[in-house]
Amino acid sequence: MTPAPPGAAEPLRVLLADDHAVVRAGLRALLEGEPDLEVIAEAGSGEEAVGLVARLLPDVALMDLRFGGVGGTGGIDGIEAIRRLAAEAPGVAVVMLTSSAGRADVLRALEAGARGYVLKAGPPDELFRAVRGAAAGALGLAPEIVGELVGQVVSPEQELSGREIEVVRLMAEGLSNRAIAEALFLSEATIKTHLVRVYRKLKVDNRAAAVSEAVRRGVLELT
Protein backbone atom coordinates (compact mmCIF):
# COMPACT_ATOMS: atom_id res chain seq x y z
CA MET A 1 0.00 0.00 0.00
CA THR A 2 1.28 3.48 -0.85
CA PRO A 3 1.81 5.34 2.45
CA ALA A 4 -0.91 7.86 3.23
CA PRO A 5 0.20 11.46 3.80
CA PRO A 6 0.55 12.61 7.42
CA GLY A 7 -2.80 13.45 9.00
CA ALA A 8 -4.78 11.48 6.42
CA ALA A 9 -7.74 9.31 7.42
CA GLU A 10 -7.23 5.60 8.01
CA PRO A 11 -7.30 3.64 4.71
CA LEU A 12 -10.35 1.61 3.78
CA ARG A 13 -9.83 -2.04 4.66
CA VAL A 14 -10.64 -4.34 1.72
CA LEU A 15 -10.98 -8.13 1.49
CA LEU A 16 -10.57 -9.87 -1.88
CA ALA A 17 -12.59 -12.99 -2.71
CA ASP A 18 -11.75 -14.74 -5.99
CA ASP A 19 -10.76 -18.32 -6.72
CA HIS A 20 -7.89 -17.31 -9.03
CA ALA A 21 -4.69 -16.40 -7.20
CA VAL A 22 -3.38 -14.46 -10.21
CA VAL A 23 -6.54 -12.33 -10.28
CA ARG A 24 -6.23 -11.63 -6.56
CA ALA A 25 -2.58 -10.64 -6.99
CA GLY A 26 -3.48 -8.21 -9.75
CA LEU A 27 -6.30 -6.70 -7.72
CA ARG A 28 -4.09 -6.36 -4.67
CA ALA A 29 -1.47 -4.51 -6.70
CA LEU A 30 -4.10 -2.15 -8.12
CA LEU A 31 -5.81 -1.41 -4.83
CA GLU A 32 -2.67 -0.99 -2.78
CA GLY A 33 -1.43 1.54 -5.31
CA GLU A 34 -4.09 3.85 -3.87
CA PRO A 35 -3.10 5.59 -0.60
CA ASP A 36 -6.59 5.26 0.90
CA LEU A 37 -7.08 1.54 0.20
CA GLU A 38 -5.56 -1.42 2.04
CA VAL A 39 -6.05 -5.14 1.28
CA ILE A 40 -6.23 -6.96 4.62
CA ALA A 41 -7.01 -10.51 3.47
CA GLU A 42 -7.78 -12.78 0.52
CA ALA A 43 -10.23 -15.65 0.10
CA GLY A 44 -10.32 -18.33 -2.57
CA SER A 45 -13.90 -19.53 -2.05
CA GLY A 46 -17.29 -18.23 -1.01
CA GLU A 47 -17.19 -20.12 2.28
CA GLU A 48 -13.73 -18.78 3.12
CA ALA A 49 -14.86 -15.27 2.24
CA VAL A 50 -17.83 -15.44 4.61
CA GLY A 51 -15.64 -16.70 7.46
CA LEU A 52 -12.92 -14.09 6.96
CA VAL A 53 -15.33 -11.19 6.52
CA ALA A 54 -17.28 -12.14 9.64
CA ARG A 55 -14.03 -12.36 11.63
CA LEU A 56 -12.09 -9.39 10.25
CA LEU A 57 -14.98 -7.02 9.43
CA PRO A 58 -13.36 -5.14 6.55
CA ASP A 59 -14.93 -1.94 5.24
CA VAL A 60 -15.51 -3.53 1.83
CA ALA A 61 -15.44 -7.09 0.47
CA LEU A 62 -14.77 -7.51 -3.25
CA MET A 63 -16.65 -10.68 -4.18
CA ASP A 64 -16.48 -12.80 -7.33
CA LEU A 65 -19.84 -13.99 -8.69
CA ARG A 66 -18.86 -17.56 -9.50
CA PHE A 67 -16.13 -19.52 -7.80
CA GLY A 68 -14.51 -22.33 -9.76
CA GLY A 69 -15.46 -21.13 -13.24
CA VAL A 70 -18.76 -21.47 -15.07
CA GLY A 71 -19.59 -24.81 -13.54
CA GLY A 72 -18.67 -23.81 -10.01
CA THR A 73 -16.93 -25.96 -7.40
CA GLY A 74 -19.95 -27.19 -5.49
CA GLY A 75 -19.47 -24.53 -2.82
CA ILE A 76 -21.48 -21.36 -2.41
CA ASP A 77 -21.35 -18.64 -5.05
CA GLY A 78 -20.96 -14.92 -4.53
CA ILE A 79 -24.70 -14.33 -4.28
CA GLU A 80 -25.11 -16.83 -1.46
CA ALA A 81 -22.04 -15.39 0.25
CA ILE A 82 -23.65 -11.94 0.20
CA ARG A 83 -26.87 -13.34 1.68
CA ARG A 84 -24.96 -14.99 4.52
CA LEU A 85 -22.95 -11.85 5.21
CA ALA A 86 -26.14 -9.82 5.44
CA ALA A 87 -26.84 -11.81 8.61
CA GLU A 88 -23.30 -12.37 9.91
CA ALA A 89 -21.62 -9.05 9.03
CA PRO A 90 -24.32 -6.55 8.01
CA GLY A 91 -22.00 -3.57 8.40
CA VAL A 92 -19.63 -4.76 5.66
CA ALA A 93 -20.30 -3.41 2.16
CA VAL A 94 -19.96 -6.03 -0.57
CA VAL A 95 -19.03 -5.10 -4.13
CA MET A 96 -19.49 -7.75 -6.81
CA LEU A 97 -16.49 -7.94 -9.15
CA THR A 98 -17.18 -10.28 -12.05
CA SER A 99 -17.03 -10.88 -15.77
CA SER A 100 -20.81 -11.17 -16.07
CA ALA A 101 -22.84 -8.11 -17.06
CA GLY A 102 -26.09 -10.04 -17.51
CA ARG A 103 -29.19 -8.34 -16.15
CA ALA A 104 -30.29 -11.41 -14.18
CA ASP A 105 -26.95 -11.65 -12.38
CA VAL A 106 -26.93 -7.92 -11.62
CA LEU A 107 -30.43 -8.00 -10.15
CA ARG A 108 -29.70 -11.12 -8.09
CA ALA A 109 -26.62 -9.48 -6.63
CA LEU A 110 -28.35 -6.21 -5.78
CA GLU A 111 -31.38 -7.96 -4.32
CA ALA A 112 -29.05 -10.06 -2.16
CA GLY A 113 -27.55 -6.87 -0.76
CA ALA A 114 -24.53 -5.97 -2.92
CA ARG A 115 -23.55 -2.30 -2.67
CA GLY A 116 -21.75 -2.30 -6.01
CA TYR A 117 -21.28 -4.24 -9.23
CA VAL A 118 -18.24 -3.74 -11.45
CA LEU A 119 -16.65 -5.70 -14.27
CA LYS A 120 -13.19 -7.25 -14.23
CA ALA A 121 -12.59 -5.95 -17.75
CA GLY A 122 -13.41 -2.38 -16.73
CA PRO A 123 -10.90 0.40 -16.03
CA PRO A 124 -9.35 0.53 -12.54
CA ASP A 125 -10.98 3.89 -11.79
CA GLU A 126 -14.43 2.22 -11.89
CA LEU A 127 -13.27 -0.30 -9.31
CA PHE A 128 -11.85 2.40 -7.05
CA ARG A 129 -15.04 4.47 -7.27
CA ALA A 130 -17.18 1.43 -6.45
CA VAL A 131 -15.10 0.53 -3.40
CA ARG A 132 -15.07 4.07 -2.04
CA GLY A 133 -18.74 4.59 -2.82
CA ALA A 134 -19.80 1.34 -1.17
CA ALA A 135 -17.80 2.17 1.96
CA ALA A 136 -19.56 5.55 2.10
CA GLY A 137 -23.00 3.95 1.78
CA ALA A 138 -23.51 4.73 -1.90
CA LEU A 139 -24.23 2.30 -4.74
CA GLY A 140 -21.24 1.83 -7.07
CA LEU A 141 -22.13 0.52 -10.52
CA ALA A 142 -20.15 0.23 -13.75
CA PRO A 143 -21.67 2.19 -16.67
CA GLU A 144 -22.60 -1.06 -18.43
CA ILE A 145 -24.50 -2.15 -15.35
CA VAL A 146 -26.38 1.13 -15.14
CA GLY A 147 -27.49 0.51 -18.73
CA GLU A 148 -28.79 -2.93 -17.80
CA LEU A 149 -30.76 -1.53 -14.87
CA VAL A 150 -32.21 1.33 -16.91
CA GLY A 151 -33.43 -1.26 -19.40
CA GLN A 152 -35.06 -3.14 -16.54
CA VAL A 153 -36.72 -0.03 -15.14
CA VAL A 154 -38.22 1.09 -18.44
CA SER A 155 -39.32 -2.39 -19.44
CA PRO A 156 -43.12 -2.42 -19.68
CA GLU A 157 -43.27 -5.78 -17.92
CA GLN A 158 -40.48 -6.44 -15.47
CA GLU A 159 -39.49 -10.05 -15.00
CA LEU A 160 -40.10 -11.84 -11.73
CA SER A 161 -37.14 -13.65 -10.22
CA GLY A 162 -37.31 -17.38 -9.59
CA ARG A 163 -37.88 -16.81 -5.89
CA GLU A 164 -40.65 -14.28 -6.57
CA ILE A 165 -42.40 -16.78 -8.84
CA GLU A 166 -42.23 -19.36 -6.03
CA VAL A 167 -43.82 -16.87 -3.66
CA VAL A 168 -46.63 -16.09 -6.13
CA ARG A 169 -47.23 -19.80 -6.75
CA LEU A 170 -47.61 -20.52 -3.05
CA MET A 171 -49.75 -17.42 -2.66
CA ALA A 172 -52.00 -18.77 -5.42
CA GLU A 173 -52.38 -21.96 -3.37
CA GLY A 174 -53.84 -19.86 -0.57
CA LEU A 175 -50.86 -19.94 1.80
CA SER A 176 -50.37 -17.11 4.26
CA ASN A 177 -47.12 -15.17 4.50
CA ARG A 178 -46.10 -17.28 7.48
CA ALA A 179 -46.87 -20.54 5.67
CA ILE A 180 -44.95 -19.37 2.58
CA ALA A 181 -41.99 -18.47 4.79
CA GLU A 182 -42.03 -21.94 6.36
CA ALA A 183 -42.32 -23.63 2.96
CA LEU A 184 -39.33 -21.72 1.56
CA PHE A 185 -37.29 -21.76 4.80
CA LEU A 186 -37.25 -17.96 4.90
CA SER A 187 -38.32 -15.38 7.45
CA GLU A 188 -41.76 -13.82 7.26
CA ALA A 189 -40.10 -10.41 6.86
CA THR A 190 -38.25 -11.69 3.77
CA ILE A 191 -41.53 -12.90 2.26
CA LYS A 192 -43.06 -9.47 2.81
CA THR A 193 -40.09 -7.92 1.01
CA HIS A 194 -40.57 -10.30 -1.92
CA LEU A 195 -44.26 -9.37 -2.05
CA VAL A 196 -43.46 -5.67 -2.21
CA ARG A 197 -41.22 -6.34 -5.21
CA VAL A 198 -43.82 -8.60 -6.83
CA TYR A 199 -46.52 -5.95 -6.48
CA ARG A 200 -44.22 -3.29 -7.90
CA LYS A 201 -43.13 -5.40 -10.87
CA LEU A 202 -46.65 -6.57 -11.68
CA LYS A 203 -48.13 -3.11 -11.02
CA VAL A 204 -50.76 -4.45 -8.63
CA ASP A 205 -51.65 -3.79 -4.99
CA ASN A 206 -53.10 -7.02 -3.66
CA ARG A 207 -52.58 -10.79 -3.66
CA ALA A 208 -55.45 -11.71 -5.97
CA ALA A 209 -54.39 -9.17 -8.58
CA ALA A 210 -50.79 -10.41 -8.36
CA VAL A 211 -51.83 -13.98 -9.08
CA SER A 212 -54.10 -12.90 -11.92
CA GLU A 213 -51.41 -10.77 -13.54
CA ALA A 214 -48.80 -13.51 -13.17
CA VAL A 215 -51.13 -15.91 -14.98
CA ARG A 216 -51.80 -13.33 -17.70
CA ARG A 217 -48.08 -12.89 -18.31
CA GLY A 218 -47.55 -16.62 -18.51
CA VAL A 219 -45.17 -16.85 -15.56
CA LEU A 220 -47.66 -18.85 -13.53
CA GLU A 221 -50.00 -21.65 -14.59
CA LEU A 222 -53.00 -22.57 -12.50
CA THR A 223 -54.13 -26.17 -12.70
Side-chain angles (χ1 to χ4, degrees), residues 14-18 27 31 60-64 95 97 118 127 131:
V14 181
L15 180 140
L16 304 178
D18 193 290
L27 289 171
L31 293 167
V60 178
L62 274 178
M63 186 79 65
D64 194 10
V95 173
L97 179 63
V118 289
L127 174 61
V131 169

Side-chain angles (χ1 to χ4, degrees), residues 157-177:
E157 293 191 344
Q158 297 186 41
E159 297 177 2
L160 297 183
S161 68
R163 178 66 80 189
E164 289 163 354
I165 292 173
E166 286 182 307
V167 170
V168 175
R169 177 178 58 79
L170 293 173
M171 190 166 58
E173 295 177 4
L175 273 65
S176 65
N177 288 356

